[in-house]
């Protein structure tokens, strides 16, 4: 069932891609990125709905809050910490580690804030599972959507 949903989402994405090709190249790149981002979010939401076994009522309330949560998480993360292990040097390792630690603190702060917001929508055990699986689901969704 999950695979059917993912295949259907991919097919819809492919249909929209045809319209994007008719636009100027700059707009096409922007639109494609936006489409991939939306497809990634939809795939992520479907996977979370399945993993958490959310009812339709819960999911309807959960979806906009989760979208906002992911948006806020994206804003608090400094991308400067994305350095491959082999690219670390004595000169940049402390800066990269500092950024990573700041990201951890900022992410924890957002998660703490949203803990209480999610608690109004889903059960505490579902929140615990959400926080535990969120990164794994994100990685799997990126693979499905081929998001880079």
């Amino acid at each position: 069932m999950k695979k059917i949903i993912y295949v259907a989402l991919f097919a819809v994405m492919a249909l929209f891609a045809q319209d994007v090709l008719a636009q100027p190249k700059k707009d096409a790149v922007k639109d494609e990125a936006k489409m991939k981002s939306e497809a990634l979010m939809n795939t992520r939401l479907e996977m979370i709905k399945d993993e958490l076994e959310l009812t339709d009522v819960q999911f309807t309330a959960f979806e906009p809050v989760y979208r906002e949560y992911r948006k806020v998480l994206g804003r608090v993360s400094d991308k400067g910490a994305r350095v491959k292990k082999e690219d670390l040097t004595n000169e940049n390792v402390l800066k990269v580690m500092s950024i990573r630690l700041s990201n951890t603190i900022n992410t924890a702060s957002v998660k703490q804030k949203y803990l209480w917001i999610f608690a109004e929508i889903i059960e505490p055990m579902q929140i615990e599972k959400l926080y535990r699986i969120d990164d794994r689901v994100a990685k799997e969704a990126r693979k499905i959507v081929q998001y880079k």
Side-chain angles (χ1 to χ4, degrees):
M1 178 65 177
K2 290 180 194 177
K3 288 184 181 180
I4 293 172
I5 292 171
Y6 304 140
V7 170
L9 284 172
F10 186 78
V12 169
M13 224 175 60
L15 290 173
F16 287 124
Q18 293 173 355
D19 291 338
V20 172
L21 296 175
Q23 297 176 358
K25 195 169 191 169
K26 195 174 190 179
D27 289 341
V29 170
K30 251 185 179 177
D31 290 345
E32 183 179 349
K34 191 174 183 177
M35 230 175 25
K36 281 186 176 181
S37 179
E38 185 60 26
L40 175 63
M41 178 58 77
N42 290 335
T43 301
R44 183 182 286 175
L45 281 163
E46 284 299 320
M47 293 172 79
I48 288 171
K49 182 180 180 182
D50 290 343
E51 292 272 344
L52 300 183
E53 299 174 356
L54 298 175
T55 65
D56 289 340
V57 172
Q58 284 177 313
F59 185 73
T60 300
F62 174 81
E63 180 182 4
V65 174
Y66 183 77
R67 285 178 182 274
E68 182 62 29
Y69 163 75
R70 291 304 307 182
K71 195 181 294 183
V72 172
L73 278 180
R75 280 190 236 132
V76 300
S77 292
D78 186 333
K79 310 305 185 239
R82 293 183 181 169
V83 176
K84 294 179 181 176
K85 198 179 212 180
E86 57 270 10
D87 293 336
L88 288 176
T89 64
N90 281 330
E91 290 77 32
N92 71 1
V93 71
L94 293 177
K95 180 180 178 186
V96 170
M97 287 177 62
S98 178
I99 292 170
R100 287 179 181 167
L101 291 170
S102 291
N103 286 348
T104 300
I105 292 167
N106 294 339
T107 298
S109 178
V110 170
K111 286 182 175 185
Q112 186 174 28
K113 174 186 172 187
Y114 275 84
L115 174 72
W116 303 107
I117 296 170
F118 286 137
E120 295 175 10
I121 302 167
I122 59 178
E123 298 297 320
M125 292 301 285
Q126 289 172 313
I127 299 168
E128 189 276 333
K129 191 172 184 179
L130 170 67
Y131 283 176
R132 194 167 20 90
I133 67 167
D134 196 41
D135 289 336
R136 178 182 55 80
V137 167
K139 287 175 187 172
E140 289 178 22
R142 275 197 281 297
K143 286 179 189 174
I144 291 168
V145 177
Q146 298 176 353
Y147 185 80
K148 296 179 181 182

